Amino acid sequence: KLWCMRLGLMNYCRNPDGEPRPWCFTTNPTKRWEYCDIPRCRRQCLSGKGEDYRGTISVTESGNTCQRWSSQFPHRHALFCFRSLEENYCRNPDGEKMPWCYTTNRTARWEYCTIPSCDGTEPEAQITEECYQGNGVTYRGTASFTLTGKKCQAWSSMSPHRHNKTADQFPNAYVFPISMFHWTMVIH
């Protein structure tokens, strides 16, 4: 009889139970589980008021170049300490109606930016394997290490930590793209 067998134990980070982000049981006997070392996805288009926009547009609606957030010239401000304020990219750190920036134009302190709308054309499916969105319940990437560098225990394994987070209990949480599987032919 000829059949295919999946090789390798899947120890990829997942979020089967709605934790704040993807996690895994660790192979360290003294540490049961930890959150995984996976970045949050960076939105490249405008959704809502754009508070999660992380694209690289750096020109305002009227065509002014954005001032670097770390700069105090030509406009002084107190927003340079926010982590998401990179380079001179348009952002919405304070809940305005849309992303904006301070400008390099001395006569225009700040202006809104024109960001393309997220109308379903953004290829988000391509980036979900490298990062997670929301709380990561849909994350299907191959990260297998925790924030502190511990290796993840395979979900099918009960060693070193016994658990009930199995594919039987959480069938939708362990879906892996076909490209992640290694197959071999076994003859019986």
Side-chain angles (χ1 to χ4, degrees), residues 96-139:
E96 280 287 334
K97 68 178 185 177
M98 61 195 300
W100 60 276
C101 69
Y102 292 105
T103 77
T104 56
N105 181 337
R106 291 179 193 257
T107 62
R109 180 169 169 77
W110 68 273
E111 292 179 342
Y112 291 115
C113 300
T114 302
I115 311 294
S117 176
C118 297
D119 58 4
T121 60
E122 182 185 18
E124 290 193 34
Q126 294 177 2
I127 60 174
T128 56
E129 290 182 14
E130 302 166 11
C131 59
Y132 72 94
Q133 298 176 6
N135 67 356
V137 295
T138 61
Y139 173 74

Side-chain angles (χ1 to χ4, degrees), residues 64-112:
N64 283 316
T65 300
C66 293
Q67 172 182 311
R68 292 180 66 84
W69 292 99
S70 60
S71 174
Q72 295 295 313
F73 182 81
H75 305 289
R76 294 189 61 77
H77 61 88
L79 292 175
F80 57 87
C81 59
F82 284 76
R83 272 187 50 193
S84 64
L85 301 179
E86 306 164 272
E87 304 289 331
N88 64 336
Y89 304 142
C90 299
R91 295 290 184 260
N92 189 359
D94 58 352
E96 280 287 334
K97 68 178 185 177
M98 61 195 300
W100 60 276
C101 69
Y102 292 105
T103 77
T104 56
N105 181 337
R106 291 179 193 257
T107 62
R109 180 169 169 77
W110 68 273
E111 292 179 342
Y112 291 115

